[in-house]
Amino acid sequence: MQRVFLDANILFSAAYREKAGLLRLWQLPGVDLVTSSYAAQEANANLSEPSQKKRLAMLLNSVAVMPHPAALPGLPSGMSLPAKDTPIFQAAMRAGASVLLTGDVAHFGRFFGKTIAGVRILLSADFLRSLKSDHGDLSSLIP
């Protein structure tokens, strides 16, 4: 079972449109989805329509949502992130995630495909492609 941490932009994108492609993540076998209350709140704050907020709430019902602690460990040596993104990576580490999915190319892009402190940072499309190559025919779930 892979534990996959969802950044706020992944949650936002999944909730934004009724038939968003990212909804496939919620159907994948052998994947345990996790996020933080910080990421969930950020996604919710950026959604404007009541229907989007309702979709997000429904999606979060099947995601383990880690509380945002008062104190988090620092970032691993050699890693620097803006203040708003630091809690995302810290929460992924704290949750024991093997993968952090994010669409934040500006801040996480230089880490894409790398494993830092046991967490592999990926775009959702790259994660889905890796599952396709690792697990054979998941064609009904993966583009």
Side-chain angles (χ1 to χ4, degrees), residues 11 15 22 27 42 44 51 53-54 64-65 76 78 90 105 136:
L11 295 170
L22 282 175
Q27 301 170 8
E42 184 177 334
N44 189 61
S51 61
K53 290 177 180 276
K54 183 177 180 181
V65 180
Q90 290 170 324
V105 177

Side-chain angles (χ1 to χ4, degrees), residues 35-108:
T35 193
S36 65
S37 57
Y38 176 84
Q41 290 167 1
E42 184 177 334
N44 189 61
N46 287 301
L47 292 168
S48 57
E49 299 294 322
S51 61
Q52 296 167 336
K53 290 177 180 276
K54 183 177 180 181
R55 263 193 302 280
L56 177 61
M58 290 182 354
L59 291 171
L60 289 172
N61 283 332
S62 56
V63 174
V65 180
M66 309 294 293
H68 187 68
L72 287 166
L75 291 171
S77 178
M79 183 181 215
S80 64
L81 291 168
K84 75 171 196 67
D85 294 311
T86 296
I88 297 296
F89 189 79
Q90 290 170 324
M93 286 190 314
R94 190 169 163 269
S98 55
V99 175
L100 163 62
L101 293 186
T102 182
D104 187 346
V105 177
H107 300 129
F108 284 98

